Amino acid sequence: MANYYVLLGPPGAGKGTQAKLISEKIGVAHISTGDLLRENVKNRTVLGLEAQGYMNSGRLVPDDLIISMVRERIALPDCSKGALMDGFPRTVAQAEAFDKMLQDAFNAKIACVPCIEVPAVLLIERLSGRTMCPNGHVFHQVFNPPAAEGVCDECGAALYQRDDDKVETVTKRIEVYENQTAPLIAYYDQAGILARVDGTQQIDSVTAQIFSALGIDGA
Ligand code: ADP
Ligand code: ADP
């Protein structure tokens, strides 16, 4: 059976870290709009060139660009088995468009929305020590260091620090989350599919909480 999930939570909450672990384990596609956008920026596509300025300043890329990017991604064959969304939706307009997309493409609804909750002080600490590889594997200099410095454990690619993880941009992104994305907590709560997760715990404990929210045996 195909299941569609959304991981909600502020920047630095651990969405990417958890999405990689969980999507591999349950065999659904991992869709990170941040990773898709960074790929477009790297390849200097029309979308990438348009998105870059918004990303560098910590603002959201306009809804219409994001919605059409996700519509194309969700049409690929791997999504027919289900998908775990990471960093999307981020506005009520995106959430409404996503509900409609799932309905039209798969006659499906979102099964569950785990919301990873982490206070702002911890987010800043996490984002300022984050390194990642071009394939979206995420590390932290202190909390989740790679075995060999600067090298991805998963794929051997070189790790880098994101331009938008500097402190001024991080503060802006947390503010944007509060204003534009946090309203989705009430949106999904009203739909009866929100599950709050304590994101201050260790990575494996957060994974266990998410599995329990999804009603999946994570062992
Ligand atoms: P998001 O995708 O929500 O922005 P990430 O998964 O990229 O978050 O995680 C942000 C940073 O915090 C990364 O450096 C990651 O290694 C680290 N991290 C993720 N989960 C935890 C955790 N439970 N405890 C400590 N650090 C974490
Ligand atoms: P994080 O989880 O650390 O906030 P992401 O990798 O999800 O970062 O996103 C990085 C940037 O890409 C965001 O600050 C924003 O500019 C853009 N972005 C990603 N997803 C979306 C989205 N769904 N809507 C609008 N902008 C997005």
Side-chain angles (χ1 to χ4, degrees):
M1 200 178 95
N3 279 312
Y4 299 88
Y5 306 106
V6 169
L7 273 188
L8 201 57
K15 300 182 300 297
T17 302
Q18 297 297 334
K20 275 270 179 266
L21 294 167
I22 290 168
S23 60
E24 274 166 25
K25 196 138 189 183
I26 65 177
V28 302
H30 168 202
I31 302 184
S32 158
T33 45
D35 288 349
L36 290 173
L37 288 168
R38 280 184 286 279
E39 186 73 25
N40 275 277
V41 170
K42 197 170 98 191
N43 295 333
R44 303 184 60 80
T45 66
V46 174
L47 170 61
L49 293 174
E50 191 145 5
Q52 200 164 22
Y54 295 99
M55 295 170 78
N56 286 342
S57 62
R59 288 171 301 149
L60 294 184
V61 176
D63 285 336
D64 54 339
L65 297 179
I66 297 289
I67 290 167
S68 52
M69 179 179 81
V70 172
R71 187 173 289 118
E72 277 179 31
R73 177 65 187 87
I74 210 102
L76 297 182
D78 62 333
C79 294
S80 62
K81 287 181 283 186
L84 178 57
M85 308 304 296
D86 157 17
F88 174 89
R90 259 176 155 96
T91 62
V92 172
Q94 291 180 18
E96 289 170 347
F98 188 53
D99 285 342
K100 187 163 186 314
M101 239 183 262
L102 286 184
Q103 192 62 49
D104 294 347
F106 306 112
N107 194 23
K109 284 185 166 42
I110 300 169
C112 181
V113 181
C115 177
I116 309 178
E117 298 179 315
V118 176
V121 277
L122 285 185
L123 297 175
I124 294 169
E125 197 175 54
R126 286 187 183 183
L127 293 170
S128 57
R130 170 163 70 180
T131 54
M132 66 190 295
C133 81
N135 300 315
H137 297 114
V138 188
F139 298 87
H140 189 279
Q141 282 156 359
V142 179
F143 306 134
N144 185 25
E149 205 185 319
V151 180
C152 179
D153 287 352
E154 304 294 328
C155 60
L159 299 176
Y160 71 99
Q161 185 147 32
R162 274 168 48 179
D163 284 344
D164 61 346
D165 277 348
K166 53 180 188 287
V167 88
E168 317 84 84
T169 325
V170 162
T171 313
K172 174 70 183 167
R173 282 159 56 209
I174 294 171
E175 182 192 311
V176 165
Y177 173 82
E178 290 302 336
N179 293 333
Q180 294 180 259
T181 309
L184 294 183
I185 298 173
Y187 179 90
Y188 289 124
D189 203 13
Q190 272 156 22
I193 51 176
L194 187 83
R196 293 176 192 274
V197 168
D198 178 2
T200 64
Q201 307 289 312
Q202 302 275 335
I203 292 175
D204 54 354
S205 147
V206 178
T207 311
Q209 290 180 64
I210 296 175
F211 274 126
S212 145
L214 305 188
I216 292 168
D217 179 10

